C-alpha cells in the first residue's frame, strides 16, 4: 500500500499539517491570553495537547517536533540507530527526551 507518490508529495502533506497545527496553537494561545473565551479558558486540554507537539530549540525558540526539511526530492528518512553513508554517528534517542522509551530500543 502506498500513501504518497513520492517524498515530495509526503512533504506537501506534512507541511500543510504542520502549518495547521501551528496556526491552531497560535490561535488558542491568543484566546487564552486575551481571556476572550471562557470556554477555552475553562478547558485548556486542547491547548495543552498542542503544546506537547512543540520543542525548545537550542536558540530558545519553540518549533514543532517535526523536521520538515527531510521531505524533499533527494532525501531519505532515517530510522532509529541508522547511520548516514560513510558516517559513524547513528540516530539515537536524545538525552533530553522526556517520553518513555522501550528499554529494548535503547541498547
Amino acid at each position: 500500500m502506498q500513501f504518497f507518490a513520492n517524498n515530495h508529495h509526503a512533504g506537501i502533506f506534512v507541511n500543510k499539517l504542520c502549518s495547521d497545527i501551528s496556526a491552531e496553537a497560535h490561535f488558542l494561545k491568543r484566546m487564552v491570553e486575551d481571556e476572550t473565551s471562557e470556554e477555552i479558558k475553562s478547558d485548556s486540554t486542547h491547548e495543552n495537547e498542542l503544546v506537547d507537539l512543540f520543542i525548545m530549540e537550542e536558540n530558545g525558540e519553540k518549533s514543532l517536533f517535526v523536521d520538515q526539511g527531510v521531505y524533499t526530492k533527494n532525501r531519505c528518512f532515517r530510522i532509529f540507530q541508522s547511520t548516514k553513508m560513510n558516517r559513524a554517528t547513528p540516530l539515537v534517542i536524545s538525552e533530553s527526551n522526556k517520553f518513555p522509551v522501550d528499554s529494548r530500543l535503547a541498547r
Side-chain angles (χ1 to χ4, degrees):
M1 176 186 291
Q2 185 176 4
F3 293 103
F4 301 103
N6 55 45
N7 207 22
H8 178 69
H9 287 176
I12 292 169
F13 172 79
V14 169
N15 288 335
K16 171 72 169 122
L17 183 64
C18 290
S19 176
D20 290 351
I21 290 169
S22 293
E24 180 71 10
H26 180 70
F27 172 75
L28 288 173
K29 181 180 177 188
R30 288 193 60 208
M31 292 288 281
V32 170
E33 287 174 353
D34 295 344
E35 301 179 21
T36 55
S37 173
E38 288 303 318
E39 181 180 326
I40 289 186
K41 282 190 71 172
S42 65
D43 181 21
S44 60
T45 304
H46 188 65
E47 181 193 15
N48 291 337
E49 290 172 350
L50 288 177
V51 166
D52 289 341
L53 298 177
F54 289 83
I55 59 170
M56 186 70 70
E57 297 283 350
E58 289 180 2
N59 61 7
E61 293 183 23
K62 288 186 178 181
S63 68
L64 277 174
F65 76 98
V66 177
D67 180 0
Q68 297 176 55
V70 299
Y71 299 98
T72 58
K73 183 179 176 184
N74 294 316
R75 294 266 181 112
C76 294
F77 293 101
R78 287 183 70 193
I79 59 173
F80 181 64
Q81 294 201 348
S82 68
T83 59
K84 293 181 179 180
M85 189 176 284
N86 300 322
R87 299 279 174 94
T89 53
L91 183 62
V92 296
I93 299 169
S94 170
E95 292 179 12
S96 64
N97 177 45
K98 296 178 183 174
F99 299 96
V101 176
D102 187 327
S103 62
R104 294 173 291 176
L105 296 175
R107 292 183 200 158

